[in-house]
Amino acid sequence: MKLFIGKKSINLITREEDFLRIISWGCKEKIITYVNQNTVNLFHENGEYLKTISNEFLCVLDGAGLWLSALFKNVRCERISFTDALIKFFEVLIEKRMRLYFVGGSYNIETLQKKIYPINITGYANGYFKRYDWRLELEELNRADVIMLGMGQPRQEYIALEIKSLIKNKIIICCGAFMDYYTGTVRRAPLIMQKYGLEWLYRIYDNPRLYGKRYLVGIPKFLLKMKDLNYVK
C-alpha cells in the first residue's frame, strides 16, 4: 500500500505478518522505519525528509493515529504496534541466530548484551554524537545480519542511509525508543492502554517534558492535515 502525502508517496507495511516476513532470514538489503502521526507532522515541516523516506524506505504503519486516518478514508488495515512487532522480530533473531549491531542510547555494551541475551550483538555505538565516521565500524557492521538505529526521527533515518552507502546485503531498521522499552530502561504503558491505542497518553504522564508538546500540540496538527493523506492499495 502507498500513503500519499500531497503529491509524494511512501511505501507502507500495514500488517505485522508482512513486516516479519520481509525481515525474515533470506530477505536481504531492506531499510525499514515506522510512520505515525508525529512522522506525518515532520514530513510537513521537512520536505527533504519526506523525499528521503519516499525514495528509500519501507514504512510500518505504527499506532492509532494513522490507523484511524485510514479508516476515515474507508481503507481497512491492521493497527500495528511497532514495538510489539519488534519484540516478535527479536524472537526471530534468536531462533535464526542472527547477529545484531545497534546504534542508540548510552548503553554499556556489556550491560546491553546481558539485557538482550541470548541475542548476539556484534557491536554497539552510542547514539549521542554529532558526526561519526562509520568506516571505522565496517568490520563489526559487516559481521551483523541486522543493524538497528534507535535515535528518533528524522536523525536515525539519515544515519541509516549513511551506513547503507557503505555496506551491502543488510537489513537496517530504524526503531526509535524500542530498545529502551525492551531492556526495561523506560516503562511501557499498562496493557489496557496499549490495547486501546492510548500509549501516547501514558507517555505524556510519564515524561511530559519529552512528550507533552509532541502529542498535545502534535495531535491537533495531525488532525488538521489528515485531509492531505490518501491511501492507495
Side-chain angles (χ1 to χ4, degrees):
M1 183 184 295
K2 286 187 177 291
L3 168 61
F4 280 83
I5 303 156
K7 294 182 179 180
K8 283 287 183 182
S9 67
I10 60 175
N11 296 305
L12 278 185
I13 300 171
T14 58
R15 297 195 310 164
E16 185 182 89
E17 176 185 350
D18 291 340
F19 167 69
L20 294 172
R21 176 180 54 79
I22 287 167
I23 59 177
S24 66
W25 189 264
C27 294
K28 291 293 188 178
E29 195 144 331
K30 302 292 184 185
I31 183 164
I32 296 173
T33 190
Y34 52 90
V35 58
N36 53 33
Q37 61 87 18
N38 184 60
T39 318
V40 171
N41 288 340
L42 290 173
F43 287 159
H44 282 275
E45 295 167 8
N46 185 343
E48 190 61 33
Y49 179 46
L50 173 56
K51 182 179 178 181
T52 297
I53 298 298
S54 176
N55 292 338
E56 301 283 350
F57 287 79
L58 293 173
C59 302
V60 176
L61 190 152
D62 176 42
L66 280 177
W67 175 72
L68 286 171
S69 77
L71 288 183
F72 288 140
K73 299 282 185 174
N74 294 315
V75 176
R76 294 195 174 274
C77 57
E78 182 180 332
R79 181 166 69 85
I80 302 172
S81 163
F82 194 44
T83 299
D84 290 337
L86 287 172
I87 289 171
K88 292 180 181 178
F89 171 57
F90 268 26
E91 294 173 3
V92 175
L93 279 182
I94 294 167
E95 179 186 350
K96 302 289 188 181
R97 298 183 179 179
M98 298 168 77
R99 294 159 297 187
L100 173 69
Y101 187 102
F102 180 66
V103 184
S106 56
Y107 296 97
N108 173 282
I109 188 169
E110 289 80 12
T111 302
L112 181 61
Q113 180 68 82
K114 288 178 182 177
K115 288 188 173 185
I116 68 172
Y117 180 83
I119 292 171
N120 180 8
I121 185 164
T122 65
Y124 167 71
N126 187 298
Y128 296 97
F129 57 85
K130 291 184 178 179
R131 292 186 178 180
Y132 196 80
D133 187 350
W134 291 104
R135 289 172 296 182
L136 301 175
E137 300 289 327
L138 275 180
E139 183 177 347
E140 291 184 341
L141 288 167
N142 277 310
R143 285 172 53 210
D145 300 299
V146 178
I147 299 160
M148 294 182 73
L149 299 100
M151 308 167 70
Q153 294 177 319
R155 187 167 180 243
Q156 61 191 8
E157 284 79 20
Y158 293 138
I159 301 286
L161 290 177
E162 286 183 38
I163 293 173
K164 181 177 180 288
S165 70
L166 297 173
I167 58 176
K168 301 296 182 184
N169 298 323
K170 302 296 178 184
I171 299 169
I172 303 176
I173 302 174
C174 298
C175 65
F178 165 74
M179 194 64 80
D180 288 337
Y181 295 126
Y182 189 80
T183 60
T185 305
V186 176
R187 293 174 297 176
R188 289 190 72 185
L191 288 174
I192 189 68
M193 299 184 80
Q194 294 179 38
K195 181 179 179 180
Y196 291 104
L198 296 173
E199 280 194 89
W200 62 273
L201 196 58
Y202 178 81
R203 290 173 183 171
I204 294 173
Y205 161 78
D206 189 55
N207 193 338
R209 185 174 182 180
L210 180 62
Y211 291 110
K213 183 178 179 180
R214 176 182 295 189
Y215 293 118
L216 295 178
V217 176
I219 289 176
K221 285 175 65 177
F222 170 74
L223 293 173
L224 290 172
K225 296 178 176 72
M226 274 178 51
K227 66 180 185 301
D228 298 327
L229 304 180
N230 290 291
Y231 298 81
V232 179
K233 291 186 176 181

